Every structure is written in structure tokens, then in C-alpha cells.
């Protein structure tokens, strides 16, 4: 369903970010590839007809405002400590201040993110996502 696709899209984005990080590093580029995950934010996304179970159980799921969810993106964009290959996410998985859950393309021992960061940091997944994106767009990415 739509939420499975949503999750796969988030995973593909973070995996592509790490693939790009490694390609940039191989070419000695000074361009950064940095990612973020906002966690679970209360936004109009939850008003879609596909939200179902989350709407019913929403009171049980930790959540934060859209403004707080944007902090991971702000850290990725503006922190002087943000480096290529970093991925910022809320410290409590769904909520909280942003922390680096991946640094320099390597998983960090944060104890909060599950399978997502394993796939995000998997070189085999990098290759699959990179090639799938090239195929979908009908172009070859040159870094």
C-alpha cells in the first residue's frame, strides 16, 4: 500500500545519499551529500485517506510538530559539524533533537534506528539504488 511505498522511498533517499557520498569521495570532490529523517511529525500528510491505522492509534505514537521535524534538515544543511555521508534523525527515533545516526557513511551506535540504517549503509544497496535511479530516469549519473 501507500505507506509501504512511502517507507521504501525514504529508505531509497537515504541509501542514494550514501551512494552519492561514496561516489563524491572517490572523485575527491568537495561537494557534500548529507541526509536527514524528520521522524514522525504532525503535518497534513496524516490527513490522507491512506493514514488509517495511524489515525486510530495516533494518540499512542510519539510525535512532534512539523517545525521540530525540520530540525534534522536544518542540521544537515547548516551545522558546521555536518560532513558528507552524515544522516541526521531524531534522537528518540520518532521525536527529539537531531543526532547523527550515520557519520561519514558509517552507522553510529545510537541504539535507536533499526533496519533502515543497515540498508542505508550497505554498499550492495547503494549500487542497486544508484542503478535503479539511472534506469528510471534513462540517464547515467556522472560524478
Amino acid at each position: 500500500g501507500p505507506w509501504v511505498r512511502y517507507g521504501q522511498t525514504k529508505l531509497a533517499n537515504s541509501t542514494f545519499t550514501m551512494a552519492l557520498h561514496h561516489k563524491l569521495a572517490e572523485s575527491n570532490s568537495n561537494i557534500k551529500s548529507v541526509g536527514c529523517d524528520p521522524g514522525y511529525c504532525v503535518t497534513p500528510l496524516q490527513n490522507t485517506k491512506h493514514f488509517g491505522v495511524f489515525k486510530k492509534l495516533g494518540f499512542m505514537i510519539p510525535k512532534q510538530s512539523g517545525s521540530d521535524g525540520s530540525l534534522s534538515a536544518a542540521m544537515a544543511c547548516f551545522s558546521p559539524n555536518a560532513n558528507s555521508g552524515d544522516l541526521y534523525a531524531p534522537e528518540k527515533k520518532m521525536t527529539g533533537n537531531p543526532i547523527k545516526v550515520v557519520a561519514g557513511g558509517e552507522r553510529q551506535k545510537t541504539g535507536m534506528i533499526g533496519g533502515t540504517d543497515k540498508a542505508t549503509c550497505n554498499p550492495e544497496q547503494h549500487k542497486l539504488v544508484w542503478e535503479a535511479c539511472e534506469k528510471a530516469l534513462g540517464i547515467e549519473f556522472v560524478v
Side-chain angles (χ1 to χ4, degrees):
W3 288 105
V4 172
R5 284 191 300 277
Y6 175 77
Q8 289 171 335
T9 301
K10 284 182 73 173
L11 176 57
N13 284 334
S14 63
T15 304
F16 188 89
T17 299
M18 294 304 133
L20 180 58
H21 158 68
H22 290 294
K23 298 244 183 210
L24 291 167
E26 288 170 8
S27 69
N28 294 316
S29 175
N30 62 356
I31 296 172
K32 293 180 183 180
S33 179
V34 184
C36 62
D37 180 341
Y40 179 40
C41 308
V42 179
T43 67
L45 181 63
Q46 288 82 21
N47 295 331
T48 67
K49 68 179 182 175
H50 303 292
F51 202 66
V53 70
F54 289 106
K55 239 181 191 175
K56 292 176 185 167
L57 300 174
F59 67 93
M60 297 171 58
I61 300 171
K63 51 193 158 291
Q64 59 190 3
S65 70
S67 297
D68 287 344
S70 72
L71 293 176
S72 292
M75 288 294 288
C77 290
F78 304 114
S79 172
N81 298 320
N83 298 303
S84 189
D86 291 352
L87 175 69
Y88 288 88
E91 64 185 335
K92 297 175 188 166
K93 188 173 182 177
M94 303 276 246
T95 63
N97 292 323
I99 60 170
K100 283 185 192 183
V101 295
V102 177
E106 300 293 325
R107 295 175 65 211
Q108 301 301 290
K109 295 182 187 220
T110 60
M112 50 64 73
I113 220 168
T116 302
D117 62 331
K118 290 178 186 172
T120 293
C121 296
N122 182 328
E124 293 172 11
Q125 296 298 319
H126 297 171
K127 186 176 188 307
L128 288 173
V129 168
W130 191 270
E131 290 172 354
C133 289
E134 287 180 324
K135 183 178 178 184
L137 295 171
I139 61 173
E140 180 182 344
F141 301 135
V142 179
V143 178

